[in-house]
Amino acid sequence: MSKKFLIVGLGNIGAEYVNTRHNIGFKVLDFLAKKESLDFQTVKLGALAEYKFKGRTFLLLKPNTYMNLSGKAVKYWMDQVNIPLENILVITDDLNLSFGTIRIKGKGSDGGHNGLKNINLVLNTQNYTRFRFGISDQFKKGQQVDYVLGEWDEQEKAALPERLEISTEIIKSFGTAGLNNTMNSFNGK
């Protein structure tokens, strides 16, 4: 069994996107990196940090391809460091879950998410683990893009640190306890 894991946080590069709901994948990885004093290095197709925990190596990847082309970075780094599909965790926002709700699944559809859609296309499979972070769907008809690319409201900002803390525990659990134990421990939390 490989002890290397590729943890991909989905988001868009650029200062204007830093605090947007769509960038929760980047935010989770940035939170873990800050907590563990890790530095991201600019690499081909993204920014990468290495985190070692309990004999495992977690490569934290923030693709710089923009959301809609995330698959290119995922495939490149999977191949580059020889990481099997079952050791990939993709962190993404989800409109269908209420704010802060966590859902981890070993496979599934893209759920209308363009980042996942592209990863499915490039990897030619839906059989990789995704960690969906709920951002809720509190927007008026036709306002979806503005909502996901909008910044967190004050209530969400106040609740984020605790949700981000749990998110870092999920990453560690995925690599040490495995997918099923992680789903049992964290889904719905």
Side-chain angles (χ1 to χ4, degrees):
M1 188 181 105
S2 173
K3 294 194 182 227
K4 272 190 184 172
F5 297 84
L6 182 62
I7 312 299
V8 183
L10 296 187
N12 284 312
I13 55 169
E16 68 272 31
Y17 298 111
V18 170
N19 291 310
T20 63
R21 293 178 180 93
H22 216 25
N23 268 38
I24 191 62
F26 281 15
K27 197 154 201 70
V28 168
L29 296 187
D30 287 339
F31 187 86
L32 176 59
K34 186 174 182 184
K35 187 177 166 173
E36 300 295 336
S37 302
L38 308 172
D39 289 320
F40 279 94
Q41 304 299 319
T42 301
V43 293
K44 185 170 180 172
L45 302 176
L48 200 63
E50 190 175 289
Y51 172 51
K52 292 190 181 293
F53 178 74
K54 290 192 176 177
R56 311 301 197 278
T57 300
F58 297 85
L59 297 172
L60 311 179
L61 174 65
K62 299 189 300 183
N64 67 5
T65 54
Y66 286 101
M67 190 69 80
N68 300 358
L69 297 172
S70 300
K72 188 176 179 182
V74 173
K75 176 85 172 102
Y76 176 82
W77 284 101
M78 261 181 84
D79 293 346
Q80 193 69 19
V81 286
N82 196 21
I83 294 184
L85 200 56
E86 63 271 14
N87 285 14
I88 292 176
L89 177 69
V90 176
I91 307 167
T92 181
D93 59 308
D94 194 322
L95 286 166
N96 301 312
L97 299 172
S98 56
F99 169 78
T101 300
I102 287 163
R103 181 142 320 127
I104 302 144
K105 290 174 75 178
K107 61 183 176 189
S109 74
D110 57 56
H113 192 286
N114 289 330
L116 293 177
K117 202 174 285 183
N118 187 254
I119 293 169
N120 292 351
L121 181 74
V122 173
L123 297 185
N124 197 28
T125 185
Q126 297 182 346
N127 297 331
Y128 57 89
T129 304
R130 61 276 323 269
F131 161 7
R132 296 177 184 263
F133 188 107
I135 62 168
S136 85
D137 60 358
Q138 302 302 308
F139 55 88
K140 293 180 176 70
K141 191 170 171 59
Q143 298 296 307
Q144 180 174 329
V145 171
D146 292 339
Y147 179 77
V148 298
L149 294 178
E151 297 203 356
W152 304 100
D153 67 28
E154 292 310 312
Q155 213 174 347
E156 291 167 336
K157 277 184 198 162
L160 261 177
E162 182 261 349
R163 297 280 85 196
L164 291 170
E165 190 66 52
I166 289 171
S167 298
T168 63
E169 294 306 313
I170 289 168
I171 292 168
K172 292 189 251 185
S173 174
F174 176 69
T176 57
L179 173 60
N180 288 334
N181 289 330
T182 303
M183 290 193 301
N184 292 337
S185 298
F186 294 97
N187 273 344
K189 290 249 189 302

